[in-house]
Amino acid sequence: MFPPAGKRKIGTGPVSVRPLGEADLDRADEVFRVAFGTFLGAPEPKTFFGTADYVRTRWAADPQAAFAATVEGEFAGSNFAVNWGSVGYFGPLTVRPDLWDQGVGRRLMEPVMDCFDAWENRHLGLFTFSHSPKHLELYRRYGFWPRFLTAIMKKQVADSAAVPGRVLYGQLPADEQPNALSLCRTLTGAVFEGLSLEHEIVATHAQGLGDTILLQGPGSELDGLAVCHCGAGSEAGEDVCFVKFGAVRPGPEAADRFERLLTACERLAAERGLGQLDAGMNLGRPDAYQRMVDRGFRTWLQGVTMHRPNEPGYSHPDAYVIDDWR
């Protein structure tokens, strides 16, 4: 998702790419914050993103899909690939500001594209800055095409009523969790063939980052699910509940199910004592976006998703999905 592209400057040493190791995480986290903070003009780049953690959480979820770049033996940047079944995306891709425009970002693209080939994902994506031509050009070289904007939205948490049929994955007995994951695959597969959040659900639970909301439907079906990160040390940050992914079962009553899912997310935030609810919404899903606006969500960061191939995937008007590919 991050670094600028461009030609390598004369005199730059060779760029090497290798797996990101545990010993790299502190440095990778620092570069991640400084890169974003510098690009966005933060007064203290090293503290950008506060207590939110995108580097350690993604490395722990899948160390084999995390990569480091070095220049003359010094750490230069990192990138992460994410496997959601038929969908794959990558990020954050970050490069030290003193090495921008020197080809490091292009080298960090190579291993993630190899991951997508090995995983056989059929729809690939990323989130980047819509106002940055060199970001768009870098990713266009790899077949990605910009489509609709994605709004990263937030609202202040209010007291909300209990939601009938809401179950938390983390509170299920261990022997019931595999069946819950199967029901989740069925739901996400109905949203987009082959889409699976199983790895994300398991990683969130295993790392203690938050929990996954399950909304029971008729019979054995699920009406909805939401993978939520909660508080410092997760991708949410202090006093925030972040809906990393949410979706409801498609069909004539999908909008009503989506309203119920939003209420359940706010209820979880309130139960955890968190004051802010964050969620990403692609504007290719206009009714879902409008419903979030009507509930008081407001955009605090905006970017564009790029897709390979140039198709909407699950970002279309009939989809009621919450996500962002940061």
Side-chain angles (χ1 to χ4, degrees):
M1 126 176 101
F2 198 73
K7 296 181 179 179
R8 187 178 303 174
K9 294 180 180 178
I10 296 173
T12 299
V15 181
S16 299
V17 176
R18 57 170 173 77
L20 185 72
E22 188 170 7
D24 298 314
L25 295 181
D26 286 347
R27 182 64 173 134
D29 181 75
E30 180 183 10
V31 170
F32 159 73
R33 295 175 191 279
V34 169
F36 271 101
T38 299
F39 184 81
L40 295 174
E44 297 183 19
K46 284 189 177 182
T47 63
F48 199 72
F49 278 107
T51 58
D53 192 329
Y54 279 73
V55 168
R56 296 174 186 84
T57 55
R58 301 226 174 155
W59 180 85
D62 191 353
Q64 294 183 340
F67 305 96
T70 60
V71 174
E72 298 179 350
E74 296 293 326
F75 189 90
S78 60
N79 197 8
F80 302 82
V82 179
N83 184 7
W84 284 359
S86 59
V87 175
Y89 75 95
F90 67 87
L93 196 173
T94 50
V95 173
R96 272 173 30 204
D98 63 304
L99 293 173
W100 287 355
D101 302 319
Q102 298 183 33
V104 180
R106 292 198 297 273
R107 289 299 311 276
L108 281 167
M109 285 296 299
E110 296 166 5
V112 300
M113 299 305 294
D114 290 342
C115 283
F116 297 146
D117 287 342
W119 295 336
E120 299 182 340
N121 314 108
R122 65 184 180 88
H123 191 89
L124 307 179
L126 64 113
F127 174 102
T128 193
F129 297 108
S130 54
H131 64 288
S132 175
K134 55 186 171 182
H135 286 80
L136 300 181
E137 175 60 19
L138 169 61
Y139 303 129
R140 189 198 60 76
R141 295 180 184 183
Y142 292 88
F144 293 92
W145 193 259
R147 295 185 64 90
F148 286 104
L149 297 175
T150 289
I152 313 303
M153 309 178 78
K154 65 181 180 181
K155 77 178 297 288
Q156 294 305 300
V157 173
D159 291 335
S160 59
V163 179
R166 190 202 74 166
V167 176
L168 297 179
Y169 175 84
Q171 294 179 356
L172 292 173
D175 61 352
E176 295 182 16
Q177 291 177 349
N179 182 61
L181 293 173
S182 177
L183 293 174
C184 290
R185 285 195 301 273
T186 299
L187 187 154
T188 53
V191 171
F192 185 80
E193 185 180 2
L195 175 65
S196 174
L197 272 289
E198 179 177 352
H199 189 75
E200 205 72 59
I201 294 168
V202 171
T204 298
H205 177 61
Q207 295 182 56
L209 303 177
D211 214 329
T212 297
I213 296 168
L214 309 174
L215 294 184
Q216 296 176 325
S220 61
E221 288 186 306
L222 283 184
D223 272 352
L225 67 89
V227 183
C228 299
H229 284 210
C230 298
S234 73
E235 294 181 20
E238 186 175 0
D239 200 35
V240 177
C241 176
F242 168 52
V243 185
K244 183 162 186 180
F245 181 91
V248 300
R249 185 164 49 85
E253 298 178 0
D256 293 337
R257 291 190 282 271
F258 186 66
E259 294 281 1
R260 184 175 162 220
L261 185 66
L262 290 174
T263 300
C265 292
E266 191 158 6
R267 178 71 175 180
L268 177 64
E271 289 173 347
R272 297 291 178 96
L274 302 170
Q276 181 174 304
L277 182 62
D278 281 19
M281 177 54 63
N282 187 279
L283 271 64
R285 312 169 201 145
D287 190 60
Y289 169 75
Q290 186 60 56
R291 288 174 184 275
M292 291 179 66
V293 170
D294 292 345
R295 280 180 170 252
F297 282 91
R298 295 295 181 265
T299 301
W300 66 269
L301 177 67
Q302 185 168 271
V304 64
T305 51
M306 299 184 68
H307 299 242
R308 173 181 165 178
N310 182 17
E311 297 173 356
Y314 55 78
S315 291
H316 55 80
D318 293 330
Y320 289 84
V321 176
I322 297 168
D323 75 335
D324 68 83
W325 290 336
R326 286 182 294 167

